[in-house]
DNA sequence: CTGTAAGTTCAGTATAAACAGAAAGTACAG
DNA sequence: CTGTACTTTCTGTTTATACTGAACTTACAG
């Protein structure tokens, strides 16, 4: 399979973006290719198109499957695995978000909770306060994320398209005297 | 300066988190140290505390200053630079967000805009649609981000603590017949 | 069984990034 | 000026990770 110029540039750019966000370049490129592809592809096709080793594609596809971003499908009378990803960008976004929250944010919150207790035991008041602030912040954001993730996608999209005009609907909140 | 166990673990964890999100480990550790520190520190102190080369600290501090996360201050009669960062987690979060949006998201949106035009010219209808969807998604999120970033911090924090209950305040929205 | 096509795992190599240490630069005190 | 304290820049080395190619495994057709 040969790529159009635009497709190829898209894939290259996606690979670079991946690198900047801690995602393996090949993994990101494989995902980008599947995203652009009209139908499922075999590992062989992916390796040829991206000009990387078959083994590298195998590993990357496993990684993407672990991230729940790619799934394998089969054709009657064909032993090969066919791989595909969602074309729904919102869904992709939430999958990645969900995975990163689960793998990185939640363990970090747990760790900070422990560290705050530890710091307090060490009587380092300032350090304790700093760790606790970070912990509280992550917990608050996480709580918000969890509530948002439970809303139906259509509501979520409405909230995003409303933007800051959402504040118009809220009960009026004014700063009390002396409140900073 | 010697670190308490909790402080040291916090810094190590922060360094690891940095790595996973495409931030240099030392850069993340220096920032974590400054975050925990009650007052400004010299590069020398930072290098000793983290046990890394002075030159590495110098580079990392420059990087952090480019990211607007750290600033240098001075003491009368002291030629050394003293470095510090905000202790306000929300502010730190928004600074990082702002920088990453500026450096990565905005250029990506621009690139996708160009690629969508290019794909259309190549008459690759499916690829065009896929690139355009990604472009539209990023634009929508970016628009939302921009509006949110203009709200006063207190309003923003209220929105986060409201969570999904915000939907209660919205004009009732029901799915029209046949709407999916 | 045997051969072939597909998929996976593994060991070694290559690459890019991080890092240290040395060298150079800068600012100022005396 | 000269020496010292501090900072930056540069070069070579180290390290971590990505990646390849080969060996190995599995499944199945003939």
């Amino acid at each position: 399979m040969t790529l159009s110029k635009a497709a190829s540039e898209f894939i290259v750019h996606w690979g670079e973006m991946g690198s900047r966000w801690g995602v393996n370049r090949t993994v990101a490129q494989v995902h980008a290719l599947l995203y652009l592809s009209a139908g499922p592809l075999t590992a062989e096709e992916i390796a040829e198109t991206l000009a990387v080793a078959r083994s590298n594609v195998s590993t990357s596809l496993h990684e993407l499957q672990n991230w729940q971003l790619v799934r394998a499908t089969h054709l009657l009378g064909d032993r090969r695995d066919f791989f595909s990803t969602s074309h729904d960008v919102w869904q992709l976004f939430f999958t990645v978000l969900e995975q990163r929250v689960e793998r990185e944010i939640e363990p970090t919150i747990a760790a900070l909770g422990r560290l705050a207790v530890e710091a307090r035991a060490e009587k380092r008041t300032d350090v304790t306060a700093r760790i606790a602030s970070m912990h509280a912040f992550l917990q608050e954001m996480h709580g918000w994320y969890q509530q948002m993730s439970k809303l139906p996608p259509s509501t979520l999209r409405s909230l995003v398209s409303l933007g800051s005009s959402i504040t118009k609907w809220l009960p009026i909140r004014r700063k009390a005297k002396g409140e900073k």
Side-chain angles (χ1 to χ4, degrees), chain A residues 114-138:
Chain A
R114 275 185 271 105
L115 290 178
V117 171
E118 193 169 321
R120 179 167 304 155
E122 288 166 351
K123 316 254 182 189
R124 295 301 314 270
T125 330
D126 53 339
V127 168
T128 308
R130 240 57 67 60
I131 294 178
S133 304
M134 185 64 78
H135 184 237
F137 171 76
L138 287 180

Side-chain angles (χ1 to χ4, degrees), chain A residues 146-163:
Chain A
Q146 280 192 319
Q147 294 193 37
M148 290 299 137
S149 67
K150 276 172 197 136
L151 293 175
S154 60
T155 307
L156 216 38
R157 299 187 61 156
S158 308
L159 286 175
V160 170
S161 61
L162 264 176

Side-chain angles (χ1 to χ4, degrees), chain A residues 12-140:
Chain A
V12 168
H13 186 97
W14 223 240
E16 284 167 8
M17 285 299 285
S19 302
R20 292 187 179 226
W21 290 82
V23 175
N24 178 288
R25 184 165 56 104
T26 307
V27 170
Q29 287 184 351
V30 169
H31 187 255
L33 174 58
L34 291 176
Y35 172 72
L36 290 185
S37 172
L41 300 176
T42 63
E44 190 62 36
E45 286 174 305
I46 296 171
E48 273 175 29
T49 311
L50 299 181
V52 294
R54 180 67 186 70
S55 57
N56 195 2
V57 170
S58 178
T59 312
S60 300
L61 284 168
H62 273 273
E63 185 77 4
L64 287 165
Q65 286 175 88
N66 286 340
W67 280 75
Q68 322 251 51
L69 283 169
V70 161
R71 63 192 207 96
T73 51
H74 297 90
L75 254 54
L76 200 70
D78 195 328
R79 281 167 50 203
R80 292 174 299 174
D81 293 338
F82 287 82
F83 300 93
S84 58
T85 188
S86 169
H87 289 158
D88 177 341
V89 190
W90 279 80
Q91 193 190 305
L92 292 174
F93 174 76
F94 283 112
T95 303
V96 171
L97 192 60
E98 185 184 352
Q99 293 285 324
R100 296 207 85 149
V101 165
E102 201 172 292
R103 294 163 184 230
E104 289 153 14
I105 308 302
E106 287 170 2
T108 295
I109 292 174
L112 291 182
R114 275 185 271 105
L115 290 178
V117 171
E118 193 169 321
R120 179 167 304 155
E122 288 166 351
K123 316 254 182 189
R124 295 301 314 270
T125 330
D126 53 339
V127 168
T128 308
R130 240 57 67 60
I131 294 178
S133 304
M134 185 64 78
H135 184 237
F137 171 76
L138 287 180
Q139 275 191 321
E140 193 168 1

